[in-house]
Amino acid sequence: MLSISQKSKRKKRERIGDGLDTENTPHELIHQWSPPHKQRVVCKGKENEENQFVLARRPRKRREFSGLSWDTLPDELLLGILSCLPLQDLLRMSRVCKRWHRLAFDESLWHSVDLVGNPQLDQALGQVLMAGVLRLRCPCTCIGEPHFTHTQHLRVQHMDLSSCTVSSPFLDDIISRCRRLENLSLEGLELSDWIIQSLSQNTELVRLNLCGCSGFSPDSLGEMLKSCSRLEELNLSWCDFSTDHVKAVVSNIPSNITQLNLSGYRQNLTMEDLKDLVERCPHLVNLDLSDSVLMTTSSFPILQRLQSLRHLALSRCYQIHPAALADFEKFPELQTLEVYGLVQDTYLPILSKSLPRLQINTRPFSGVARPTEATRRDRAMWGMTCRLVFRS
């Protein structure tokens, strides 16, 4: 025989078990398994039939925390603390709570990001760009679909995507959202007319590196050069260009260009193109015409019109005789001369003696419009460093 108390406990367990079989939502389960609210106990007795009294506990006083709490810190102070954290630690802090997540992705913390070393960027790249980054460095990276969650324009002004593995539609999705670009490097990428047209909307461009690019027409190239009238440095070396591409460049390039790399066009760059270029861009300081086999000594009087020319590269222009290089003594402002492939090592000391003001064959690689020169080993980008750096 079960006692009265045992029977009541058994019925209580059965009621709980039935409830578990029928409940489906977590909120109801939590409510059912949470302890019941305390009821006031009313005491009755023979001696208190007329007067009832209540037994109740006094409410517990909350313990007052005498120290400093993170929750009491203002947003400005927390942003100052988060600004001292590296990239990985900042991302960990964003998981603490909703407030810290909001602060961790504040635009003031994401003005410059270096993602070199991250082999794959998909949704993360879209999140970084939407966070309001101004400077982004991620060359030699595999980029998938960025997954933008809004259609607003990006704030990025300086971006290095050199030698990335990215499809043209994904790259166009990024460039089409940019309106404030000042420095851009797309070296070695497969482009399209849509991407070149999107570049035309960035009228504040100052440096543009399209070295080794392909996939766009002369017409779109010419329209882009017309729109980007503030360009000062332009690298179009070794692109998949025809003679029409070269003519589109020399006919539409902005007149205020000071540094230009047109190397690698062999028989596509003619003497007539050089004349048009010099007439259109009289303020050139740095000019690279290497690997243009149609350049002869007849180009010297044309180049002499560039009164501000300081750096000239004519490497592997094989129709220029080495003995004619002594004529560069007539260039009063010229400082460096690159003639790799024209001068043998045994003749170089003789040429240097005849041209004592010039430094000859000191720059094997051109640095025009490139974000990082080949001789540098730091992580600077056009002379600017990034605060948030990815550490593999």
Side-chain angles (χ1 to χ4, degrees):
M1 294 296 292
L2 297 174
S3 62
I4 297 175
S5 60
Q6 291 175 337
K7 289 181 180 180
S8 61
K9 291 181 181 179
R10 182 176 181 180
K11 291 180 180 181
K12 185 176 181 180
R13 287 197 299 268
E14 291 175 355
R15 286 197 304 270
I16 294 175
D18 295 339
L20 286 174
D21 294 336
T22 58
E23 301 296 350
N24 294 319
T25 61
H27 294 289
E28 295 179 358
L29 282 174
I30 293 172
H31 176 72
Q32 182 176 355
W33 281 96
S34 60
H37 296 288
K38 295 182 178 180
Q39 303 290 336
R40 292 189 303 176
V41 180
V42 180
C43 297
K44 298 180 180 180
K46 293 182 179 180
E47 67 276 7
N48 296 315
E49 290 180 354
E50 297 180 357
N51 300 321
Q52 298 181 357
F53 64 95
V54 177
L55 296 178
R57 291 183 178 179
R58 294 180 179 178
R60 292 183 178 180
K61 295 182 179 180
R62 291 185 177 181
R63 296 180 179 179
E64 296 183 358
F65 184 70
S66 58
L68 184 63
S69 173
W70 287 96
D71 296 333
T72 61
L73 297 179
D75 289 353
E76 292 78 7
L77 186 54
L78 282 176
L79 285 174
I81 297 174
L82 294 177
S83 66
C84 300
L85 299 179
L87 178 59
Q88 276 88 339
D89 291 341
L90 182 62
L91 294 176
R92 294 188 186 100
M93 292 298 101
S94 67
R95 303 173 186 174
V96 173
C97 61
K98 291 182 178 180
R99 184 193 179 199
W100 283 30
H101 184 275
R102 173 177 58 83
L103 294 175
F105 285 95
D106 188 84
E107 291 182 352
S108 63
L109 302 179
W110 292 84
H111 58 81
S112 57
V113 181
D114 186 344
L115 298 177
V116 174
N118 194 335
Q120 180 72 33
L121 289 174
D122 298 324
Q123 188 174 358
L125 179 61
Q127 292 176 348
V128 169
L129 289 170
M130 289 187 296
V133 62
L134 299 179
R135 299 197 295 265
L136 176 64
R137 182 174 182 259
C138 56
C140 306
T141 303
C142 184
I143 299 176
E145 187 173 358
H147 296 288
F148 293 106
T149 58
H150 59 69
T151 58
Q152 299 176 1
H153 295 158
L154 302 175
R155 299 177 66 239
V156 61
Q157 298 176 358
H158 318 280
M159 184 163 58
D160 180 11
L161 300 179
S162 304
S163 303
C164 284
T165 303
V166 56
S167 64
S168 295
F170 292 163
L171 182 60
D172 182 40
D173 191 18
I174 297 173
I175 301 298
S176 63
R177 299 171 185 270
C178 300
R179 296 293 186 276
R180 305 180 181 181
L181 287 173
E182 298 179 12
N183 299 308
L184 176 65
S185 179
L186 301 176
E187 183 169 341
L189 301 188
E190 178 75 21
L191 307 182
S192 65
D193 285 340
W194 293 107
I195 296 175
I196 297 298
Q197 292 172 10
S198 298
L199 285 178
S200 303
Q201 300 175 357
N202 295 269
T203 57
E204 302 296 319
L205 265 175
V206 177
R207 298 183 183 92
L208 178 60
N209 179 21
L210 298 181
C211 171
C213 292
S214 59
F216 50 94
S217 65
D219 294 335
S220 61
L221 176 61
E223 292 299 323
M224 185 269 291
L225 292 176
K226 288 180 182 178
S227 301
C228 301
S229 58
R230 297 189 61 184
L231 273 174
E232 297 179 6
E233 295 186 29
L234 179 62
N235 191 334
L236 293 174
S237 60
W238 294 100
C239 294
D240 187 16
F241 278 4
S242 62
T243 55
D244 293 335
H245 284 87
V246 175
K247 293 187 182 302
V249 173
V250 299
S251 301
N252 299 285
I253 190 171
S255 59
N256 56 331
I257 282 282
T258 58
Q259 299 190 45
L260 177 63
N261 188 343
L262 278 180
S263 61
Y265 293 114
R266 300 188 181 276
Q267 297 181 357
N268 290 330
L269 181 63
T270 65
M271 294 292 293
E272 291 298 323
D273 295 330
L274 180 61
K275 291 179 182 178
D276 295 339
L277 177 65
V278 171
E279 291 178 2
R280 190 173 181 86
C281 305
H283 306 295
L284 280 170
V285 176
N286 189 344
L287 179 61
D288 191 340
L289 300 175
S290 300
D291 298 281
S292 299
V293 296
L294 297 183
M295 293 294 106
T296 64
T297 54
S298 301
S299 64
F300 293 179
I302 301 174
L303 294 172
Q304 200 169 1
R305 301 176 194 170
L306 300 173
Q307 298 181 0
S308 302
L309 188 63
R310 297 181 181 178
H311 311 284
L312 178 63
L314 295 172
S315 299
R316 294 169 297 279
C317 295
Y318 295 115
Q319 293 199 38
I320 298 177
H321 195 275
L325 297 177
D327 293 344
F328 283 107
E329 186 182 6
K330 302 175 184 179
F331 289 65
E333 298 296 327
L334 194 62
Q335 297 177 359
T336 62
L337 178 64
E338 314 303 330
V339 285
Y340 290 97
L342 300 184
V343 180
Q344 297 180 357
D345 294 340
T346 56
Y347 182 72
L348 186 58
I350 301 175
L351 180 62
S352 299
K353 188 176 181 179
S354 63
L355 299 172
R357 293 185 301 103
L358 299 185
Q359 296 181 4
I360 303 175
N361 289 357
T362 58
R363 299 181 179 181
F365 302 103
S366 173
V368 174
R370 281 188 165 134
T372 306
E373 295 185 9
T375 56
R376 299 188 61 170
R377 291 291 180 262
D378 57 9
R379 304 184 72 151
M381 179 177 63
W382 293 291
M384 300 172 289
T385 57
C386 296
R387 195 190 70 82
L388 292 176
V389 179
F390 176 82
R391 303 293 184 187
S392 59

